[in-house]
Amino acid sequence: MKMKHSVLSAALLGAALSLTPVVSQAGIPAPQVQDGQTMPSLAPMLQKVTPAVVSVNVSGVQVSKQRVPDMFRFFFGPNAPQEQVQKRPFRGLGSGVIIDAKKGYIITNHHVIDNADDITVGLIDGREVPAKLIGSDANADVALLQIKAKNLTQITVADSDMLRVGDYAVAIGNPFGLGQTVTSGIVSALGRSGLGIEQLENFIQTDAAINSGNSGGALVNLRGELIGINTAIVAPSGGNVGIGFAIPINMVRNLANQIIEHGEVRRGVLGVSGRDLSPELAKGFGLDTKHGGFVGEVTPDSAAAKAGMKAGDIIVSINGKNIRSFTELAARIASLGAGAKVKLGIIRDGEKKTLNVTLGEASQVAEKGAAELHPMLAGAALKDGKGGVEITDVAPNSPAAVSDLQKGDVIVGINRKKIRSLNALRKALKDKQGAVALKVRRGDAYLFLVLR
């Protein structure tokens, strides 16, 4: 027993001696070698990639306003304030990824920079540089920053549509403000949706450890190519449990390009509503496939209608890439710009077909169309806005004006349910009976307006 222990100890000692780092002339540790073979390591890849991952520090003042009840204003006289204003300073920390070194473009999450007055980017070499917000998309949780600095390193971008479950993945970010940290794992699942994290969900799931502060950081493959932007975790105990989510880089890249070109996201619209293709539906239609989006309704004069799509069609692919659910379909379409041309693979009456579709412009409801959502919205022009449905105009003396809706208001909720898009507003108001309470963001304040 002692002899075996001694032999084992000697073997371990020999291994330790053979693994002693050798420093190259450049001052960088040379690859470790054992028995004449180079030991596998992520270090060479990370030496190239980590300079492209930055920390994002934000600060600002959270302003909230509450209406002072009439009874209190009565007690304090006619000069009593109608609103009580509270200001609370805040600081936050996240991560970001340099995607264009020449122009200084950095991708991060919208929730990292939301409401920030000052944004500072920390580079791996210790420099701290002020950043400018170019634009963001709250529904997809993507934001684009820009800095002015020399000697930046940009990351190489992969094709996230080529990912497979089981591919290795490496997460890089700044968790808990500890400084740059690297964790590794695999791609656990693709096309995750229905999580209630964002309005548009088509997540890469990974077991690479992601924690607070990792948001906006890089998820890369073993070649050091960017495959996703780390966004959220499932953390019932408050810490990492091996279930993290990243936004696919193809989706991020489409949105970033729109922000760069237009200063905002001009979302493409297909014009269909539906549901995931369930096993029951697949069996009822006599289909072999169990993945796709079932089209329940096609909006008249929409991009889908013009392309010849019909209710009952089953969408199974976009531009030759299979889709897993209707939610994934919606997220992929929404990340494409208005006017984008796409090929949709569908199944109709058991036969496979391809439809060429030119996506319409982002959802916008004119004054006449608003009345179809609710009679008391008549006279309001609506469109998808930042974090909700923006009211772009209100006709004088219209029902919308009587309801106290104003130009610039953003509808963010209905009867305590969050609303982030016109499509969600349409669904929430469908077949609603009686009074409806709208939660509206007006400037920095929130108020409830009742539609009767």
Side-chain angles (χ1 to χ4, degrees), residues 291-310:
H291 300 289
F294 177 79
V295 178
E297 182 180 358
V298 178
T299 305
D301 298 323
S302 65
K306 293 175 182 177
M309 187 167 291
K310 299 179 180 179

Side-chain angles (χ1 to χ4, degrees), residues 269-285:
V269 175
L270 182 58
V272 299
S273 60
R275 52 182 292 190
D276 295 347
L277 180 64
S278 64
E280 292 79 12
L281 273 174
K283 184 178 180 180
F285 280 86

Side-chain angles (χ1 to χ4, degrees), residues 123-381:
L123 303 175
I124 197 171
D125 59 12
R127 286 180 290 171
E128 293 189 351
V129 185
K132 175 185 177 182
L133 175 63
I134 302 300
S136 68
D137 181 10
N139 290 341
D141 202 9
V142 171
L144 181 70
L145 308 178
Q146 187 175 35
I147 62 173
K148 292 183 179 180
K150 296 181 179 179
N151 301 320
L152 297 178
T153 299
Q154 72 183 49
I155 200 165
T156 302
V157 177
D159 181 359
S160 55
D161 285 342
M162 301 303 292
L163 284 176
R164 301 167 300 172
V165 173
D167 285 348
Y168 287 106
V170 179
I172 311 171
N174 296 275
F176 301 115
L178 293 172
Q180 195 171 89
T181 301
V182 178
T183 55
S184 65
I186 63 170
V187 173
S188 306
L190 295 167
R192 285 294 195 216
S193 60
L195 305 173
I197 299 172
E198 306 297 344
Q199 181 69 27
L200 302 174
E201 297 183 342
N202 179 31
F203 291 119
I204 301 167
Q205 181 182 325
T206 179
D207 64 348
I210 297 174
N211 288 288
S212 177
N214 271 108
S215 291
L219 188 69
V220 303
N221 58 25
L222 292 187
R223 290 189 294 271
E225 299 167 334
L226 186 63
I227 59 176
I229 298 296
N230 300 323
T231 297
I233 60 173
V234 171
S237 60
N240 180 271
V241 293
I243 303 177
F245 300 101
I247 306 171
I249 193 56
N250 285 7
M251 183 173 173
V252 174
R253 182 165 47 187
N254 289 335
L255 296 170
N257 287 339
Q258 293 176 51
I259 293 173
I260 291 171
E261 183 177 355
H262 306 294
E264 62 180 0
V265 171
R266 295 187 177 179
R267 209 178 304 285
V269 175
L270 182 58
V272 299
S273 60
R275 52 182 292 190
D276 295 347
L277 180 64
S278 64
E280 292 79 12
L281 273 174
K283 184 178 180 180
F285 280 86
L287 301 175
D288 294 332
T289 181
K290 293 180 175 59
H291 300 289
F294 177 79
V295 178
E297 182 180 358
V298 178
T299 305
D301 298 323
S302 65
K306 293 175 182 177
M309 187 167 291
K310 299 179 180 179
D313 287 347
I314 298 167
I315 303 174
V316 294
S317 68
I318 300 177
N319 293 333
K321 306 294 183 181
N322 292 337
I323 62 167
R324 299 165 186 80
S325 65
F326 191 88
T327 310
E328 181 183 349
L329 167 72
R332 284 177 176 263
I333 290 294
S335 68
L336 299 172
K341 299 182 185 298
V342 297
K343 290 186 176 182
L344 297 181
I346 69 168
I347 298 177
R348 179 184 296 166
D349 299 329
E351 296 184 5
K352 293 183 178 180
K353 297 178 178 291
T354 300
L355 297 181
N356 295 309
V357 184
T358 301
L359 299 181
E361 294 188 11
S363 297
Q364 184 162 346
V365 175
E367 295 175 12
K368 292 182 179 179
E372 298 177 1
L373 303 180
H374 192 283
M376 294 307 294
L377 288 178

